[in-house]
Amino acid sequence: MTVLELREFYTERQQHLRARLAAAGRSRTLSGLVLIAAAVAIGGITILSLREGRSPFWAIAPLPVAIGALHLRTRSTAREDRDSRLADFYARGSARLAGTWHGTGPSGAGFEDPCHPYASDLNILGASSLFQLLCTTRTAIGQRGLAAYLLSPPSLAESVARREAVCELAPQTQLREQIAVLGNFAFSESTWESFAQWLDSEVMEHRNRIRIAAWALLAVLLVFLVLGIALLLPWSVVLPSLCAVLLLRGAIGLFCRSQVQEKLAVLRSVAAEISVLREGLGLLALQSFQSAKLQALQQQVTHSVASLGRLERLLRMLYERDKDWFYGPSLFLLFATQLCLEIEVWRDEHRAELRVWLDAWAEFEALHALANYAFENPDHAAADLVPEEELCFEASAIGHPLLARDVCVRNDVQLNRGTRFHLVSGSNMSGKSTLLRAIGLNLVLARSGAPVCARTLRMSALSVATSLSASDSLAEGRSRFRAEIEKLSQILAATTQRPPVLFLIDEIFAGTNSKDRRIAAEAVVRTLIERGAIGALSTHDLALTELADAPELHGANLHMGSAGNGDPMEFDYILKSGITNESNALEIARLAGVPV
């Protein structure tokens, strides 16, 4: 399916869903009117019958109609909610295809780490980021999984396994629709923190003794009730006994009150989110997959549905306890205390399993997000991943994945043992930084298992480390130069570990004079190459281009510049061989308002 065909498919799907939404709305309105009419009829028949002194028996005649209308209205409302969510799902997909998705959807800002080696430089998280482009997950648990995929490069074998899973999931649009409408409500996020907070909360003191005592007293209560009803004991004996048992149960309730209140505060959020997780894991368990990665995830959740179903029932009963009609009696029956104790037992039995289920669902949703990206970008290629011994990043027609197709300019990049680094010269705004980010982003996509914005990409196992957007911080008392030093130190530290590093450095040592800059930059590049790294640097200081001339460093001079039509500020963003010979100083001065 081509991009044009995809746009048509998404448009047709939205039109179909809008038509269904309109039909569901009409059905809901009609059923509501019928329900009102039935209620009026029941009331009218009842009043007339009572006025005439007759039995209001016939008032129940419209009752089946009212029940049917209520059932239809409930179904219509549910269908309307489901189709509305699907319409929104495809609307966001159309925005991604059109390149107008920026600033919409989850940004992943909550996963930001200022010390991460590449996240801030490559726009992995935040508004208009790679995460925001990719994130089609249903739950916050899935968002966590996607962030982990983008921020923590796996082994080469794991990258290959993810790529196979993504390829299998990419065409499964129906499964993506099923995931998009999980749960009764769109606002049910199913967050990792809710479950983690509950799993890590303190154990109730004396819970086993309290549980045994509560059940024993309940059994005694039921025995006395049966004996009284069966007239095997006189009520003069039964009633005092019942009161004594209730007092004992009440004493237990008072003893546990503070602990139960703490548990209830934690469990309310879990109760609101458990159904989405249970439905999702049930959907995962029912699929038939071929890839080893997906089969492994299925095996991890084999027994999850039944166990989570039991937990969901306990939590639902706990929720019913809060309703006005039952809250008072529940206090006497020790209802909340016993339910909390049973939930504690469930937690003890399934604590480790629940963490595994949460991890499995997080990964499954992350893979689905990448698969959706693959489906919506049929012109992207699957990276050819080779062992790290080959040390290469060789791409043809590589582009920036966050740019719209009609403005994305693609270039070839060949980094390997023969060419260890590219030194890209050129003026400001010529596209150097965008090229470096394109290299880094596509490496992240390839390692996560997603296709890349390139015609072909052959790469070995690499970790990426960057220094592209160092900035000063008045609050931290840190200058821009100091921030860059810290970034470069981080890159150098990364080269002492495996796998080899692909470094991306924009305007290295821009805050120093040309002579010192040349000496310091050579020291950094030489160290990186000696430690087995490959990468690219950009500069507008032509003195640094001498670095690529050193034969032992195996560098290559490339440049970016104008389109060659006489306007030095009209750039074509195409990577060319050699060193730039263009100057646009006067044009820059004019842009600044200088009368030259």
Side-chain angles (χ1 to χ4, degrees):
M1 192 179 291
T2 65
V3 175
L4 181 60
E5 290 171 335
L6 273 173
R7 289 176 178 172
E8 292 176 353
F9 169 68
Y10 277 21
T11 300
E12 291 173 1
R13 198 74 183 97
Q14 288 178 79
Q15 291 173 346
H16 174 69
L17 289 166
R18 281 195 291 267
R20 286 178 47 165
L21 277 169
R26 289 192 297 269
S27 177
R28 179 170 51 81
T29 301
L30 179 61
S31 59
L33 292 174
V34 171
L35 187 60
I36 292 171
V40 170
I42 291 171
I45 294 172
T46 302
I47 293 170
L48 287 174
S49 298
L50 293 175
R51 280 183 180 178
E52 296 177 4
R54 293 184 299 176
S55 170
F57 174 77
W58 290 107
I60 66 172
L63 192 58
V65 176
I67 294 172
L70 180 62
H71 178 66
L72 179 60
R73 182 176 176 82
T74 302
R75 286 183 57 190
S76 298
T77 302
R79 187 167 63 248
E80 199 171 9
D81 175 75
R82 180 183 182 278
D83 289 344
S84 177
R85 283 195 268 169
L86 281 179
D88 180 64
F89 175 79
Y90 281 108
R92 286 185 285 116
S94 294
R96 288 190 295 272
L97 291 174
T100 58
W101 57 272
H102 295 270
T104 60
S107 67
F111 303 107
E112 289 179 343
D113 175 7
C115 298
H116 195 273
Y118 60 80
S120 60
D121 284 342
L122 298 181
N123 298 340
I124 300 295
L125 304 169
S128 300
S129 64
L130 181 63
F131 181 94
Q132 193 165 68
L133 172 64
L134 295 174
C135 189
T136 54
T137 63
R138 168 64 184 89
T139 68
I141 296 172
Q143 292 179 28
R144 183 186 180 93
L146 178 60
Y149 266 33
L150 299 178
L151 298 175
S152 304
S155 66
L156 184 67
E158 174 65 11
S159 293
V160 172
R162 291 179 184 179
R163 184 187 62 191
E164 293 172 353
V166 166
C167 289
E168 182 174 354
L169 291 172
Q172 299 192 32
T173 55
Q174 185 176 0
L175 182 56
R176 282 194 288 279
E177 285 192 8
Q178 290 175 303
I179 293 174
V181 297
L182 288 173
N184 295 324
F185 306 103
F187 57 78
S188 296
E189 287 290 339
S190 198
T191 61
W192 181 283
E193 291 74 16
S194 295
F195 291 96
Q197 183 185 8
W198 171 53
L199 288 174
D200 296 333
S201 62
E202 293 184 2
V203 175
M204 291 180 67
E205 295 179 2
H206 312 294
R207 56 180 178 168
N208 291 330
R209 296 177 183 176
I210 295 170
R211 182 169 177 256
I212 293 170
W215 279 111
L217 288 172
L218 180 60
V220 171
L221 186 70
L222 294 174
V223 167
F224 275 110
L225 279 174
V226 171
L227 292 175
I229 293 170
L231 301 178
L232 296 175
L233 275 179
W235 281 100
S236 59
V237 175
V238 171
L239 287 176
S241 301
L242 291 177
C243 290
V245 173
L246 288 173
L247 284 173
L248 286 173
R249 285 172 63 81
I252 292 175
L254 287 173
F255 177 77
C256 301
R257 186 174 184 276
S258 61
Q259 294 187 75
V260 170
Q261 291 298 322
E262 291 177 5
K263 288 296 177 185
L264 289 176
V266 176
L267 287 171
R268 283 191 179 95
S269 57
V270 176
E273 299 170 357
I274 188 70
S275 63
V276 178
L277 178 63
R278 179 190 55 76
E279 289 180 24
L281 292 175
L283 188 62
L284 168 58
L286 288 173
Q287 304 306 309
S288 177
F289 292 126
Q290 301 300 316
S291 73
K293 178 70 176 177
L294 293 173
Q295 289 178 351
L297 291 177
Q298 276 188 311
Q299 291 173 1
Q300 292 175 21
V301 302
T302 304
H303 306 293
S304 62
V305 178
S307 299
L308 286 174
R310 178 168 174 263
L311 176 61
E312 186 178 11
R313 288 190 295 273
L314 291 170
L315 291 169
R316 190 181 298 123
M317 286 190 285
L318 199 60
Y319 172 77
E320 292 295 332
R321 173 258 184 190
D322 288 337
K323 294 187 176 179
D324 294 339
W325 67 273
F326 189 57
Y327 185 76
S330 73
L331 296 176
F332 289 99
L333 296 172
L334 210 63
F335 195 73
T337 302
Q338 287 204 254
L339 280 176
C340 282
L341 290 167
E342 293 306 310
I343 292 171
E344 284 288 285
V345 171
W346 190 97
R347 185 177 70 159
D348 284 348
E349 294 176 354
H350 302 286
R351 187 195 300 264
E353 287 179 304
L354 181 54
R355 294 187 188 277
V356 172
W357 299 337
L358 291 170
D359 286 337
W361 180 248
E363 280 211 73
F364 185 60
E365 279 217 88
L367 289 169
H368 252 287
L370 300 181
N372 188 73
Y373 177 76
F375 180 72
E376 292 178 350
N377 293 276
D379 53 339
H380 286 18
D384 180 16
L385 302 173
V386 299
E388 67 178 65
E389 291 76 17
E390 296 197 32
L391 190 62
C392 63
F393 185 93
E394 301 169 344
S396 64
I398 191 171
H400 197 298
L402 303 185
L403 293 176
R405 285 181 174 82
D406 55 348
V407 298
C408 180
V409 178
R410 300 185 177 224
N411 289 287
D412 295 343
V413 174
Q414 298 292 315
L415 294 169
N416 46 46
R417 293 195 180 277
T419 303
R420 298 291 294 277
F421 72 95
H422 290 333
L423 204 157
V424 185
S425 57
S427 64
N428 292 314
M429 300 183 292
S430 60
K432 304 188 302 298
S433 301
T434 301
L435 173 67
L436 298 187
R437 288 189 170 90
I439 293 171
L441 283 168
N442 280 291
L443 187 150
V444 171
L445 283 171
R447 293 301 304 272
S448 68
V452 294
C453 183
R455 184 184 303 117
T456 62
L457 172 61
R458 184 175 182 272
M459 59 171 277
S460 57
L462 294 165
S463 61
V464 62
T466 63
S467 176
L468 302 179
S469 56
S471 59
D472 59 356
S473 172
L474 183 63
E476 298 176 12
R478 183 181 60 185
S479 67
R480 184 198 179 282
F481 185 73
R482 181 62 184 176
E484 183 183 6
I485 293 295
E486 290 175 359
K487 282 276 192 178
L488 292 174
S489 176
Q490 193 176 35
I491 294 174
L492 290 170
T495 59
T496 63
Q497 304 172 6
R498 309 303 301 175
V501 169
L502 185 144
F503 61 88
L504 301 168
I505 305 173
D506 188 25
E507 300 294 351
I508 187 170
F509 297 125
T512 58
N513 64 70
S514 184
K515 181 181 178 181
D516 288 346
R517 186 182 193 184
R518 164 73 176 75
I519 295 171
E522 180 177 357
V524 169
V525 172
R526 189 173 294 277
T527 302
L528 289 170
I529 300 305
E530 288 174 353
R531 293 182 180 180
I534 59 175
L537 307 90
S538 71
T539 185
H540 58 258
D541 186 349
L542 298 186
L544 296 188
T545 59
E546 297 174 5
L547 297 177
D549 295 333
E552 70 276 12
L553 295 182
H554 302 284
N557 272 312
L558 303 168
H559 73 278
M560 303 184 83
S562 67
N565 57 5
D567 184 354
M569 298 303 292
E570 185 176 334
F571 303 106
D572 58 13
Y573 310 114
I574 295 175
L575 194 61
K576 310 173 184 72
S577 298
I579 304 169
T580 183
N581 57 7
E582 297 178 345
S583 174
N584 57 4
L586 292 179
E587 290 300 322
I588 292 174
R590 290 191 185 99
L591 285 175
V594 179
V596 292

